[in-house]
Amino acid sequence: MFAVTATQIDADDPLKGLTLGEHPEPTVPEGWTTVTVRAAALNHHDLWTLRGVGISQDRLPIVLGCDAAGVDEDGNEVVVHSVIGTPVNGDETLDPKRSLLSEVYDGTFAEKVAVPRRNLVPKPQTISFEEAACLPTAWLTAYRMLFDKAELEPGSTVLVQGAGGGVATALITLGRAAGFRMWATSRSEEKRARALELGADRVFESGARLPERVDAVMETVGAATWQHSLASLRPGGRVVISGATSGMVASTQLVQVYFLQKSVVGSTMGTREQLARLLVFLDQTGVRPLIDRVLPLTEAAEGFAAMDRGDLFGKIVFTLG
């Protein structure tokens, strides 16, 4: 089958290890099944893999991709939940041995992907394959950050750092639909303008002093925005962090945390049940993912290059068939 794989690791030139071509069809362990992929979405995770983060050379080649929507062996339209793990108190993200597709097991950038049967979620007819493919990583991450980890009420003010990426655009869209006042930052004037079009109430340059402190900050940028995130938070507020695309290490003024009783909460992906509720949320509200571009999987290199340059606003989706 045709697939997009990581064949080598290069921290400085991640696209060097990107390989498109024939790959063996997936093996199917007991309790697993296959999905014929119709659409799959690109994530920063895929670039991190090519840089060697979370994976080692001995596990290559491996099919890239966490997200997919397609058709199961019985002809049902499904969305693939990409967290492979045993639920701990109902939450598979708490399994210390959990992984995402494309870390231990081949991922979704292929004609077929093998997954545990419990990882299939029915796709509503109202949501397209391309839209559904955006949900399992970026949108599920945003859903959990806003509606689980942040402990917000409608009317709260939320700052989203780094408008433009998949999680950030999902946060703005979901937050607006849920009745939050959504603010966003970006270095790019164009991305700030597009965040307003997407539903942000106000936008600011990265690092700008805000007119008031916010109830919660949604952080995916990391080192470049960390100080601003803490400084922008009201006393007793909460930073929810799910990624660090600009760097994993950031200094922290601890007095800001303990004296002003601010909380820092980590969030990773979400559960299968949360993915199912996210699909219901979209079905009920009419909210849809913002898609930057749709490319055939055979042109995946173009999408990877755009993400590596930061030349995107929303999700990049690959289609098959």
Side-chain angles (χ1 to χ4, degrees):
M1 67 177 182
F2 181 83
V4 175
T5 59
T7 53
Q8 63 175 307
I9 289 166
D10 193 314
D12 299 319
D13 183 10
L15 302 185
K16 189 176 179 180
L18 186 67
T19 302
L20 284 66
E22 290 300 307
H23 188 82
E25 291 206 6
T27 56
V28 186
E30 185 177 353
W32 288 45
T33 187
T34 59
V35 172
T36 299
V37 178
R38 295 288 181 84
L42 182 63
N43 292 286
H44 275 100
H45 181 276
D46 301 304
L47 274 178
W48 287 118
T49 298
L50 290 166
R51 289 190 170 101
V53 177
I55 199 166
S56 53
Q57 185 71 41
D58 62 310
R59 278 193 263 158
L60 305 183
I62 195 166
V63 178
L64 293 165
C66 303
D67 295 347
V71 179
D72 70 11
E73 293 178 346
D74 298 320
N76 302 304
E77 295 184 355
V78 296
V79 184
V80 175
H81 178 46
S82 66
V83 180
I84 311 298
T86 302
V88 177
N89 296 324
D91 187 342
E92 58 270 27
T93 69
L94 297 178
D95 179 359
K97 295 183 179 180
R98 76 180 187 279
S99 68
L100 298 183
L101 288 171
S102 77
E103 291 180 345
V104 176
Y105 305 100
D106 279 339
T108 59
F109 293 168
E111 294 176 44
K112 287 188 177 182
V113 60
V115 295
R117 292 184 188 278
R118 73 170 301 274
N119 283 51
L120 300 185
V121 180
K123 181 185 78 66
Q125 289 293 317
T126 56
I127 301 174
S128 70
F129 284 112
E130 291 84 357
E131 292 164 344
C134 299
L135 305 179
T137 297
W139 277 67
L140 179 59
T141 297
Y143 180 95
R144 184 181 178 106
M145 291 173 77
L146 276 173
F147 303 137
D148 181 359
K149 298 293 187 177
E151 298 184 357
L152 295 168
E153 297 179 358
S156 299
T157 302
V158 182
L159 178 66
V160 178
Q161 294 282 21
V167 175
T169 55
L171 285 163
I172 294 169
T173 306
L174 290 171
R176 181 60 181 261
F180 302 142
R181 185 167 63 159
M182 301 303 296
W183 293 357
T185 69
S186 177
R187 294 174 298 175
S188 163
E189 183 177 354
E190 178 186 359
K191 289 183 179 180
R192 293 195 298 272
R194 295 192 68 180
L196 287 172
E197 295 174 4
L198 192 61
D201 296 277
R202 299 189 67 173
V203 294
F204 307 90
E205 290 186 21
S206 297
R209 184 181 179 88
L210 304 184
E212 62 185 76
R213 291 181 176 176
V214 300
D215 298 298
V217 179
M218 302 292 108
E219 176 64 81
T220 61
V221 179
T225 55
W226 186 247
Q227 294 290 347
H228 184 253
S229 292
L230 281 177
S232 300
L233 195 63
R234 66 163 174 81
R238 179 171 293 212
V239 176
V240 182
I241 179 167
S242 67
T245 56
S246 69
M248 299 288 184
V249 180
S251 62
T252 300
Q253 293 289 331
L254 295 177
V255 66
Q256 282 201 29
V257 177
Y258 68 79
F259 188 72
L260 298 176
Q261 301 184 71
K262 299 177 180 181
S263 299
V264 176
V265 178
S267 187
T268 295
M269 295 290 291
T271 66
R272 181 198 180 279
E273 286 67 29
Q274 287 173 328
L275 177 58
R277 290 200 296 273
L278 171 60
L279 284 159
V280 172
F281 187 93
L282 267 60
D283 187 40
Q284 291 292 104
T285 62
V287 166
R288 294 294 182 270
L290 177 66
I291 296 176
D292 179 87
R293 71 194 77 182
V294 177
L295 299 166
L297 188 63
T298 52
E299 298 176 18
E302 178 183 334
F304 273 82
M307 176 168 279
D308 191 38
R309 295 192 305 267
D311 178 24
L312 77 168
F313 193 91
K315 296 295 293 179
I316 294 174
V317 177
F318 303 134
T319 56
L320 299 92

